[in-house]
Structures are given as C-alpha cells and as structure tokens.
Amino acid sequence: MNGPLMNGAESLVETLVAGGVEVCFTNPGTSEMHFVAALDSVPGIRCVLCLFEGGATGAADGYARMAGKPAATLLHLGPGLGNGIANLHNARRARSPIVNIVGDHATYHLQHDAPLTSDIEGLARPVSAWVRTTQNAVSVGSDAAEAIAAASAPPGRIATLILPADAAWTEGGKVARTPPIAPAKRVSEAAIAGAAQALRAGKETMLMLGGAALRQEGLDWAGAIAAKTGARLMAQGSNARVERGAGRVPVERVPYPVDSALAVLKDVRRLVLVGAGVPVAFFAYPGKPGRLISEDCEVRILAAPEDDLTATLAALADAVGAKKSEAPRQIAARPDLPSGAITLDSIAATLGALLPEDAIVCDESVTTGRGFFTLTRGAAPHDWLQITGGAIGLGIPLATGAAVGAPHRKVINLEADGSGMYTLQALWTQARERLDVLTVIWANRSYAILRGELANVGARNPGRKALDMLSLDNPALDWVSLAKGMGVEGKRVTTIDAFADAFRAALTMRGPFLIEVVI
Ligand SMILES: Cc1ncc(C[n+]2csc(CCOP(=O)(O)OP(=O)(O)O)c2C)c(N)n1
Ligand SMILES: [Mg+2]
C-alpha cells in the first residue's frame, strides 16, 4: 500500500502489525467503521468479536498475561469504553500491556454534542498510563506506534489511543515504527546488599513476591534464597500469573480474610518486596487494621514491578551465596479422588486430582476457591491466573483471551456463578473462535462471600430484604441452557463423582465446554 493513498485507519493497522500486535478484541460502532474496514483490507490481525466491551477488555488482559505482549481493543466512544472499564481496571492491576483503541466522532462533529459525545479522555485516564487523542490522519501511525511502546514498557501498561472518525477516514496515513522500549531496570548493588543483610535474620524476614517474580525462573531464585537464608517466601494475595505445580518452587499467597492474613504475617519483622506491595486488607473493617504487617515490621522495597525482577532475585541469590539447585521443589502429590457430597473440600480435592499438565487456570472462584491453591499445589505443572483488581466479571473473558494467547494449552476457568453473570457473553466468543476452554461454574446460587462480609463489617440484624440482595435463586440460573444458547455445550452435576466424570470427559475434548456444579 502506498503512503499517500493510505487513510489513517489503514496506517493504524499497518503500524499495529509492524509493532507485533496480532489480535484485536473488538466491539465496533459507526465511528469505527473505517478501522473495521482497514482490519479487513490490511492482513495480519486476528479480529475477535466480543458481545460486550467488558468481554473485549478482559480478553485483552488474558491474552497479554499468556502471550506476554499487547493485543489491541476496538471500543465504541465513551459508552463502549465505559462498559470495558472494570476489566481495564483489573488489567491495570495485573500490569497487562494493552493497546486500547477507542473510536470517537469526527473532530468537527463534536461541536454538535450528538448523543454519543462524552469525555473519553476523562474516562480513560484512571485506567490508562498513556492517553492520546489522535489529531489527524497523518499522526495516527506515529501515535499508534507510541501507544504500542507505552503499553509494552515493563512491566506492562494500558495505553489508550482515541481515534476520531475523520482521522481514520482521511487519506495521508503514515505507517510508523514502534520506538525502542527501554528494558526493565536493574536495581542497585546497594539495594541488593541491603536486602541480603535483612535476609540474614532468617525466618523473621519474608520475601514477598509479585509480578514476574512468580514465574518459574524468579521462583527458582527466590526458593534458593529462602532455602539458604531461612527467610520465608510468600506471594501477594492477587497475582496475574503464578507458575506452579510439581517440580516448581511452591509459594503460598497472602490469604484474603483479614484475620488469616494477620496470623500468617504476625511474626514478620522484615519484609523485602520484590514486585509486590505491602499487604493490605481488601476493605476496611471496623476495629481491624488496614496494613496486614505488624507496626514494627521494617519494609524494604528491593524491586518495584517495573524493575527486572528475575535479575534482581538472581543477584540477591548470588549475594547470599544461594544456588538454584538448592531451591525446594514441590513433589508430585495429588489428593485422592473424593466421593459423595459436593463440598468445598471435595471440589478442591477433585481439581487437585485431575488438573491436567500445562493447564491455564483462570480463577474467579470467589468463596468456593479458598482451598484450591493448597490442594492443587502438587498437581502437574500449570499456570494460575487470578482476578487482580477485585472487579468481578473477569473470569470468562480472561479465559477467552488466555486461550487466544496460548492456543495449544487447555484453559480451565473456575468461575463463581454471580461473577460469571457479568460477562457471560464471552462464552459466545469461545464458541465462535472454537477456543479450548473448560468453564466450571460454582452454582451456589448466591453472592456467598457477601453473606460473610455482612457479618464481618458488623451490619446489624440483616433481614429478608438484605439477604435477598445476596441470593441468586428464585429463579435459579440454568447455566447449561445459558451456555447452550451461546453455542457452548454443557452438563450439570449434583454429586462429586459426577463432577469428576464430567471433568475427566471434558479434558478429552477440544473446544469450549461448561460444567455447572450445583453446590
Ligand atoms: C464490578 C464489581 N461489582 C460488584 C462487586 C461486589 N461483589 C464482590 S463479590 C460479589 C458477589 C460474588 O458472588 P459469586 O461470584 O457468586 O461468588 P461466591 O461468593 O458466591 O462464591 C459481589 C457482587 C465487585 N467486587 N465487583
Ligand atoms: Mg455464588
């Protein structure tokens, strides 16, 4: 395609392709029609239609976590962006790179205040590290190239590019090359030496890991450091991706319930942070602390998320004289398959017994999942992806995007029923794209966690009206029918034996399938 004949939208797509962007999760409207046409005429980008913007943004998050690079989105003005914000919030917390592209009215149309006009930059800013409205067709390419670089800068960010319709359709587009992306920074020798000193205190010290430190190599070094010094190892509570299972260095997470977290952290006198923050309670509860470490605990930020966490841990290992071969390894050990009633323990044991090698677990299990980490730790090696920003409705889109980003791996989406209802349209995308995702719905037919929270915050004597706001029965959701209506086959199970049978059978198939587990 020749430069002068190219419109802004075509230069955008060519720039994305040149910058290594291979997928666009889309939900278009009139103002994006030239972008849609350019995605069609310029080869190189797989377009994945999502039927709600939260599906597109959540899928872009899942894709980034597995592919390690950004996808683009295509969203429709402020309202489309608004629909996608909760999952952009989660993606920001996961530090997922995303090139978030939002269409806008033609620049000269804004003066009329047509119905879809809104403050798109204002909506984008809280979830974006970089926001720009392209001014004209000539600047689309260079703005897009900058957006790719901004998104890809370690550890990963959301870059929102707002594309006015006339910038897209006017000729004069120029393809731009992605500017160089600075690699993750190395931390100073002095910081390493200081952390090494703190680690000599042994078990009173905790090494708290987040981000890339929870991938295999980082964990290898961290495990070696802990073994050598006697320091404790822990992952922050919510993590974008943990590589775990047999043969890997086991790591526990800070528990969600405040009292459990306080108990786990109470003896820590020195906290060394590597890509993690100081652990805090998800919410304030009357009479309970916000920070979960003791007041006299010394905090040392060894490496921020944007630093090179693996190199930091390797250097720290060197400083304390630890070798990778000394890292403790999780032995292969699976629980026995349980029988009888469906309980939270029997569900966790079934998953621990059957989780397949190389699975990508997308976990939005909420209450049902509290015991999953423990009982799956000795399963075959797998990845575990969590909801990082507490905004529910991520799981089904996350699994969708993870399957696009890692097409040869089985994705297992463990999904609470209430959370699943926010973005269930993503099941349709799984069917259309034939994605290899097994969705397991924990049908407890309630917002179970909030029943506990009602008590935890000390709400007085909840009555019928309050309890009804936390209940999803009357009518009960029929997940098998919901899935079927979107092209995904499913099965409902009411005993743990039937769950194990259905789970095993689903693992032998490829493509989307759903199991509704009635709890
Ligand atoms: C976007 C968003 N809206 C609302 C909430 C508040 N919230 C937290 S948990 C929850 C209900 C969870 O129910 P479910 O997913 O069924 O999990 P369960 O506790 O039943 O296992 C709600 C509504 C939230 N965290 N995020
Ligand atoms: Mg529920």
Side-chain angles (χ1 to χ4, degrees):
M1 216 171 284
N2 290 323
L5 296 176
M6 190 184 287
N7 67 27
E10 288 156 349
S11 72
L12 169 60
V13 178
E14 291 232 8
T15 299
L16 291 173
V17 173
V21 176
E22 294 181 80
V23 179
C24 186
F25 295 100
T26 77
N27 190 266
T30 306
S31 39
E32 295 81 42
M33 284 299 127
H34 283 83
F35 186 16
V36 167
L39 284 164
D40 186 55
S41 63
V42 178
I45 295 205
R46 175 177 178 184
C47 296
V48 178
L49 178 60
C50 302
L51 302 186
F52 175 67
E53 292 85 350
T57 53
D61 183 5
Y63 175 89
R65 295 194 203 186
M66 295 317 301
K69 64 177 193 171
T73 61
L74 189 179
L75 308 177
H76 186 52
L77 300 100
L81 172 60
N83 279 345
I85 279 183
N87 278 338
L88 287 173
H89 163 87
N90 286 321
R92 184 177 78 87
R93 294 273 174 190
R95 300 195 163 81
S96 291
I98 297 177
V99 178
N100 184 43
I101 302 177
V102 186
D104 195 5
H105 286 310
T107 48
Y108 59 82
H109 195 63
L110 290 174
Q111 60 183 321
H112 304 307
D113 194 30
L116 276 160
T117 308
S118 68
D119 178 5
I120 304 179
E121 289 191 2
L123 288 164
R125 234 171 254 120
V127 290
S128 311
W130 183 101
V131 179
R132 183 173 301 166
T133 303
T134 281
Q135 296 305 313
N136 52 47
V138 182
S139 50
V140 175
S142 54
D143 285 345
E146 273 189 56
I148 298 168
S152 309
R157 296 182 166 79
I158 297 169
T160 297
L161 177 67
I162 300 162
L163 180 69
D166 53 341
W169 75 48
T170 303
E171 287 186 352
K174 290 189 169 61
V175 182
R177 207 179 275 282
T178 311
I181 296 156
K185 288 195 302 287
R186 305 292 287 251
V187 310
S188 70
E189 292 295 327
I192 300 282
Q197 182 64 33
L199 284 159
R200 296 210 172 89
K203 66 177 171 33
E204 290 190 346
T205 303
M206 179 177 276
L207 200 53
M208 176 81 61
L209 308 176
L214 295 166
R215 307 289 282 280
Q216 203 169 339
E217 198 184 351
L219 281 170
D220 283 352
W221 289 120
I225 293 163
K228 180 79 182 185
T229 61
R232 294 165 63 194
L233 209 57
M234 183 144 284
Q236 57 187 13
S238 305
N239 301 286
R241 180 174 171 189
V242 184
E243 290 182 335
R244 60 195 301 268
R248 291 180 169 161
V249 172
V251 62
E252 294 299 320
R253 305 174 297 199
V254 177
Y256 175 87
V258 172
D259 292 337
S260 315
L262 288 171
V264 164
L265 297 169
K266 74 175 185 342
D267 297 326
V268 180
R269 292 288 161 270
R270 294 183 179 81
L271 185 68
V272 179
L273 300 171
V274 180
V278 172
V280 296
F282 232 78
F283 294 102
Y285 299 91
K288 293 192 179 174
R291 264 164 73 114
L292 298 171
I293 50 174
S294 59
E295 271 169 23
D296 61 348
C297 178
E298 172 199 310
V299 176
R300 188 178 286 270
I301 303 169
L302 174 58
E306 61 270 23
D307 293 330
D308 187 337
L309 305 183
T310 313
T312 299
L313 289 165
L316 185 57
D318 195 44
V320 300
K323 295 195 184 52
K324 247 192 201 180
S325 56
E326 294 161 352
R329 305 272 157 196
Q330 173 65 49
I331 52 161
R334 291 180 182 268
D336 293 331
L337 260 186
S339 187
I342 291 184
T343 63
L344 302 196
D345 287 341
S346 67
I347 288 171
T350 304
L351 291 174
L354 299 179
L355 201 64
E357 178 157 8
D358 222 22
I360 299 165
V361 178
C362 294
D363 180 12
E364 191 171 42
S365 297
V366 194
T367 309
T368 306
R370 292 275 162 78
F372 289 176
F373 226 54
T374 309
L375 284 175
T376 54
R377 66 154 79 100
H382 58 273
D383 287 69
W384 200 281
L385 280 53
Q386 285 178 275
I387 160 174
T388 43
I392 59 173
L394 175 63
I396 303 176
L398 189 76
T400 305
V404 175
H408 304 298
R409 297 177 60 178
K410 190 85 186 174
V411 178
I412 298 179
N413 174 201
L414 307 176
E415 188 64 41
D417 52 359
S419 300
M421 283 304 290
Y422 287 67
T423 45
L424 76 173
Q425 306 90 327
L427 288 172
W428 178 87
T429 303
Q430 293 176 11
R432 173 185 253 216
E433 300 289 326
R434 296 186 176 76
L435 301 176
D436 197 13
V437 182
L438 168 58
T439 304
V440 186
I441 299 289
W442 311 123
N444 60 14
R445 297 179 175 162
S446 70
Y447 286 165
I449 187 175
L450 298 184
R451 296 191 173 167
E453 295 291 61
L454 201 57
N456 290 341
V457 297
R460 267 187 275 273
N461 306 325
R464 189 73 262 152
K465 208 191 275 185
L467 293 174
D468 275 351
M469 271 187 272
L470 312 180
S471 145
L472 303 183
D473 56 10
N474 188 27
L477 293 158
D478 177 350
W479 275 94
V480 174
S481 295
L482 291 169
K484 193 171 175 55
M486 285 179 280
V488 174
E489 292 301 317
K491 190 173 172 55
R492 178 176 303 117
V493 297
T494 54
T495 67
I496 203 70
D497 308 71
F499 173 47
D501 288 346
F503 195 87
R504 249 191 312 240
L507 293 181
T508 66
M509 322 171 184
R510 272 187 66 85
F513 192 78
L514 179 142
I515 302 173
E516 176 181 359
V517 181
V518 180
I519 296 175

